[in-house]
Amino acid sequence: METTTAHTGSGPLPVLRFLGLVLLGAAIGGVAALFAAGFVRGVLWLNEVLLISPRSRMMFAWPEWLTLTTVAVPTLGGLIVGRLHRSLPERRPQTPADAIAAVQTRRGRLPARAGAVSALTAMISLGAGASVGQYGPLVHMGATLGSFGARLLRLGRSDDNITIACGVAAAIATAFNAPLAGIVFAHEVVLRHYALRAFAPIAAAALVGHVIATQALAQGALFHVAETAVPRAWEFALFVAIGGLGALLAGGYMHAILGVGRLARRLPLRPDLHPALAGALLGMVALWVPDILGMGQETLRFATIAGAFGSGELLLVLGLKVAATALCLGMGFSGGVFSPALVIGTLFGALCGTLVASLTGVSQESFVFYAVCGMVAVTAPVIGAPLTSLLIVFELTGNYALTTAALASVTLASPIAAQLFGRSLFDIQLRDRGLDLSSGRGQALLMDTRVIDYLTRECVTLSPDASLDEAIATLARERHAEAYLVDTQERFHGCVTLAELEAARQEAGPLRRARECIDAERPTLRSDTTLWAAMALLEEVTGEALAVVDEGIFRGVVYEVHIAHAYLHQSDALRREEHGHG
């Protein structure tokens, strides 16, 4: 009975551990919700004090000082942010991409200090009016709190991944008043699988975050939608078209951010001064179009109202918002891409709705459908979460017809963007850092593991000047089929096989040297070669192992059987985790 219980995972101990994980998820959800609510309120307070919000700007009595602060506040905010980023190991803020990488590579353990500094610089960036988002920092902050909880309790890697997802779900549930969207986002974007063992803790975290946001803190919704008319049947074809065009806009938005980042690295200016330069440029443009400052929540709300903006205004603000966000994020401000994508998508949808009304002459009763379709058509490809985008719409509005229209847009937007640009901006950023998630989590794990972890010196090494008889006798004595020629300075000369040595002795006698039998086509590895690359090389090689050589110096070998065992171990660990066995 004891053997069976241990094997199947039944019995009271696993159940108690599972219940403990659920309670931990709820606790992390509560803490993450409080931190998220505090972060949002801190940003709103800074916006009021620093004259960034439309309300504070409208009520300010000295226009000449308002002109000065519009330029000075983002510039000084950029100086502070750039200075703080110098204290981070990678000289950049942590983002949701880092949380995804920690989970997908099963490293876990998001550093608490880097997470705290990134949250602080994001608050300063948003408070000073940078055109960045708040949801990305909230997601990473929740993930960091979840990782800290797992580290505090000394949990394993699988549990660490779950607690990270718990923090993420709570942050989304708190920010959007959308617990279902928080649960799906944690599975869809962070975990990328639906393990039964992970679902209950994540659901508990999202539920606690939602309760705290709505009851204890009276957190308001992002925007409100009144009763809407049912769209005409032919309009659904337009919603699908908006999805296709929105995918192209999302791709342009993502690549604008990446392009400005590449341009910033070539500027003859210290990296810590890049945010200040971006803030100064942003402030000067905001003197004429203040709508580009900050997250743009007021712009988003007005864009869902028919007639609030003309088509020319929508096009202008849309173009400037894309440029401002790309400038701020590419130049080093700390913040997310989600909030600006919501604004950009809503402006795009509103522009489409305005053009349809002017061209067809129909009433604008269904105008909000166009705005929301544009919002999800841009947002879903950017964050790589079509289901989450739909649930956010449904939980914010409670309108099934509106969600159905959004579904029509997402149906085309996400597949087109994935084929043309990649699954999400997070995945593109990780790919640029050397972590490609496009082929699944198993490949990502192997690409994140280096062959040095499986390096050994338990192999046959010979002098390049060894005779054929000596080489054959040594291999026979050690019971190996190949040897590695290494001189007294540890320089690697090549690999020889027992079969080649025997053939050479039969043809030319024993006086030939081992170096004359080197397999010229045998590849070598470096210490930083990934297991994935090593597996690809092994497909073309017949032998025991591959030599690891750094700058001509022999380090050891990695055996084919060890690489195969590593692959099977990683696959088994993923299977057990994804099927709920920890």
Side-chain angles (χ1 to χ4, degrees), residues 13 69 77 129 145 152 165 181 193 214 357 394 453 467 490:
L13 185 57
T69 58
L145 290 169
L152 201 63
H193 63 79
T214 55
F394 183 71
D453 296 335
S467 67
E490 290 293 302

Side-chain angles (χ1 to χ4, degrees), residues 69-84:
T69 58
T70 300
V71 178
V73 168
T75 305
L76 292 174
L79 281 173
I80 297 171
V81 166
R83 183 68 183 178
L84 288 173

